[in-house]
């Protein structure tokens, strides 16, 4: 190597546990006309202190690293040997991290009984500071060979999708293997039947409409998932709705198997957004609970505006004059009955009459 390169670092690209120590050496080629005192070290671009150096020979300089932290880069930390003028003579990648932990929390679902998607968690700590590969494997429980999932990251960073060629009425064994430069870890085996983990597309054809002139109600209708129309199954539905200017959803749980529902107790003259989702269960007699679909796209509708709360226009001039004449006639009739001998009429007396009039109307309504 020295014949081709100006210097060589040893060890080359080591893999170490977090907290380890390392002594690396840089040996320059005789043809470079460099000496150990002409060299210095950097780690990820930061110059290492000269107190960590030791000249092992006229052409070899070592550096001591202790209590190493996890690698800051997935491609490894860059340990570089330089000449005095800053030129790069040689480099090595340090891979410092942890072995993988056993993957946990494997969950799977089948969209419309046509495929299977699984996801998992990488263990209690998760971060290994090293490139870690995850492989999902599966096989039929009583026979068959091991199969390896090919489509990763379809439902998040720790997930894989099996698009086809799945058997029904036979349980599968599913597990995940994690591997990196420091070791291998295997999850517990999960056993499942495709029929027990079915979910659907969101319910289609969601319509929201008014219920006549009822100002506090909306009617919601939708269709059953078409992909499951040929299978024996039951379905549960949920509705959630919110006011246009709010982010808080209210959920209606007790919709059951029906494909319509009436929302009541709403605000008059208000725009609402409504979503529906489906949970298929009991497919071909399966006793397991189904898995909720995603929510349908929001559908908007508004309740009728309340006439009592609506801001109306002022009465026409003729209607105002008629009302005023009627009130004045009532007022002077009241004055003649209750204010004998009064010569000065004012606003205070008029206000007393209005209170009397309101009490009179209230008593009449109660009767």
């Amino acid at each position: 190597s020295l014949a081709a390169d100006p210097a060589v670092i040893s060890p080359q690209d080591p893999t170490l546990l977090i907290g380890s120590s390392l002594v690396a050496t840089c040996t320059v080629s005789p043809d470079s006309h460099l000496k150990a005192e002409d060299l210095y070290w950097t780690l990820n671009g930061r110059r290492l202190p000269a107190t960590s150096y030791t000249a092992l020979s006229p052409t070899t300089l070592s550096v001591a690293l202790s209590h190493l932290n996890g690698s800051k880069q997935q491609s490894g930390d860059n340990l570089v040997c330089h000449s005095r003028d800053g030129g790069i003579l040689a480099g090595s990648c340090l891979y410092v991290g942890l072995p993988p932990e056993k993957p946990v929390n494997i969950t799977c679902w089948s969209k419309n009984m046509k495929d299977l998607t699984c996801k998992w968690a990488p263990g209690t700590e998760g971060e290994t500071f090293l490139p870690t590969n995850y492989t999902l494997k599966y096989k039929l429980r009583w026979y068959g060979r091991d199969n390896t999932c090919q489509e990763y990251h379809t439902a998040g960073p720790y997930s894989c999708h099996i698009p086809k060629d799945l058997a029904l009425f036979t349980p599968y064994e599913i597990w995940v293997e994690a591997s990196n430069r420091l070791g291998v870890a295997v999850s517990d085996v999960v056993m499942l039947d495709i029929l027990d983990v079915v979910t659907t597309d969101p319910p289609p054809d969601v319509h929201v409409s008014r219920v006549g002139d009822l100002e506090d109600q909306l009617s919601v209708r939708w269709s059953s998932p078409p992909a499951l129309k040929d299978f024996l199954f039951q379905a549960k539905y949920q509705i959630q709705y919110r006011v246009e200017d709010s982010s808080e959803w209210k959920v209606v749980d007790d919709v059951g198997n029906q494909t319509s529902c009436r929302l009541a107790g709403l605000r008059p003259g208000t725009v609402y957004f409504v979503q529906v989702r489906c949970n298929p269960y009991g497919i071909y007699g399966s006793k397991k609970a189904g898995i909720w679909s995603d929510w349908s796209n929001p559908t908007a509708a508004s309740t009728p505006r309340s006439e009592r709360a609506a801001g109306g226009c002022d009465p026409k001039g003729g209607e105002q004059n008629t009302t005023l004449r009627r009130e004045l006639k009532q007022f002077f009739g009241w004055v003649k009955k209750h204010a004998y001998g009064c010569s000065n009429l004012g606003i205070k007396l008029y206000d007393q009459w209005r209170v009397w009039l309101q009490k009179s109307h209230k008593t009449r309504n109660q009767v």
Side-chain angles (χ1 to χ4, degrees):
S1 297
L2 283 175
D5 300 320
V8 170
I9 290 180
S10 179
Q12 188 64 217
D13 302 340
T15 302
L16 304 162
L17 282 168
I18 290 176
S20 298
S21 298
L22 174 71
V23 175
T25 61
C26 178
T27 303
V28 294
S29 168
D31 297 336
S32 66
H33 305 295
L34 294 171
K35 302 297 182 183
E37 58 265 25
D38 299 324
L39 311 178
Y40 70 90
W41 294 87
T42 63
L43 181 63
N44 290 334
R46 181 177 61 85
R47 188 162 179 162
L48 296 172
T51 53
S52 62
Y53 304 167
T54 301
L56 300 181
S57 74
T59 58
T60 300
L61 181 70
S62 70
V63 64
L65 304 173
S66 59
H67 306 296
L68 290 168
N69 295 319
S71 295
K72 297 180 180 179
Q73 304 171 148
Q74 285 289 298
S75 58
D77 292 337
N78 298 316
L79 181 64
V80 179
C81 177
H82 299 263
S83 60
R84 180 178 295 172
D85 62 2
I88 296 176
L89 301 176
S92 177
C93 289
L94 305 185
Y95 296 94
V96 184
L98 298 168
E101 293 190 63
K102 183 173 75 171
V104 295
N105 299 335
I106 299 175
T107 57
C108 303
W109 62 93
S110 174
K111 181 67 76 68
N112 302 323
M113 297 176 59
K114 295 179 180 179
D115 61 3
L116 188 68
T117 300
C118 296
K119 64 180 181 179
W120 60 90
T124 55
E125 296 296 332
E127 180 61 72
T128 65
F129 300 95
L130 298 173
T132 301
N133 295 321
Y134 293 90
T135 304
L136 179 79
K137 294 188 175 182
Y138 61 101
K139 70 174 183 178
L140 292 171
R141 182 178 181 185
W142 292 295
Y143 54 89
R145 57 184 178 82
D146 292 0
N147 297 282
T148 300
C149 184
Q150 301 296 327
E151 299 180 10
Y152 290 88
H153 313 298
T154 55
Y158 304 106
S159 64
C160 196
H161 176 241
I162 305 168
K164 58 183 180 178
D165 299 330
L166 293 166
L168 301 179
F169 307 106
T170 304
Y172 278 93
E173 295 182 359
I174 297 174
W175 67 97
V176 178
E177 296 178 359
S179 62
N180 65 18
R181 288 171 169 264
L182 288 173
V184 177
V186 181
S187 72
D188 295 333
V189 175
V190 172
M191 284 181 289
L192 62 84
D193 191 314
I194 301 298
L195 299 179
D196 295 335
V197 292
V198 177
T199 186
T200 72
D201 295 314
D205 305 324
V206 177
H207 297 282
V208 184
S209 57
R210 294 181 177 182
V211 183
D213 293 329
L214 294 177
E215 58 199 30
D216 67 336
Q217 298 187 24
L218 288 172
S219 175
V220 186
R221 294 180 291 106
W222 61 90
S223 299
S224 298
L228 294 181
K229 64 181 180 180
D230 296 329
F231 298 101
L232 297 174
F233 79 102
Q234 294 176 289
K236 294 185 293 185
Y237 296 98
Q238 273 186 345
I239 297 175
Q240 68 174 9
Y241 63 95
R242 66 175 175 86
V243 179
E244 180 182 26
D245 57 357
S246 172
S247 59
E248 181 180 352
W249 293 91
K250 293 184 178 180
V251 178
V252 181
D253 282 315
D254 55 351
V255 180
N257 195 30
Q258 59 191 5
T259 55
S260 65
C261 182
R262 183 177 294 188
L263 304 178
L266 307 179
R267 299 183 199 168
T270 304
V271 175
Y272 283 88
F273 289 101
V274 181
Q275 293 178 292
V276 185
R277 67 176 180 174
C278 176
N279 183 334
Y281 67 97
I283 295 179
Y284 288 137
S286 170
K287 297 181 180 180
K288 295 290 184 68
I291 297 176
W292 287 106
S293 71
D294 294 331
W295 290 102
S296 63
N297 292 325
T299 302
S302 64
T303 52
R305 184 174 295 278
S306 171
E307 294 182 2
R308 295 189 299 273
C313 299
D314 290 332
K316 295 179 181 179
E319 294 176 352
Q320 278 186 319
N321 292 337
T322 302
T323 301
L324 181 59
R325 283 195 299 270
R326 184 173 64 252
E327 286 194 357
L328 286 174
K329 186 176 181 180
Q330 289 178 327
F331 172 63
F332 285 116
W334 180 83
V335 168
K336 183 182 292 185
K337 183 176 181 181
H338 296 281
Y340 294 110
C342 292
S343 57
N344 296 321
L345 299 177
I347 294 297
K348 185 175 181 180
L349 185 61
Y350 180 79
D351 288 340
Q352 292 176 0
W353 169 71
R354 294 292 297 173
V355 170
W356 171 83
L357 190 64
Q358 290 173 4
K359 288 182 178 179
S360 175
H361 284 318
K362 184 176 181 181
T363 303
R364 189 180 302 114
N365 289 337
Q366 287 175 346
V367 173

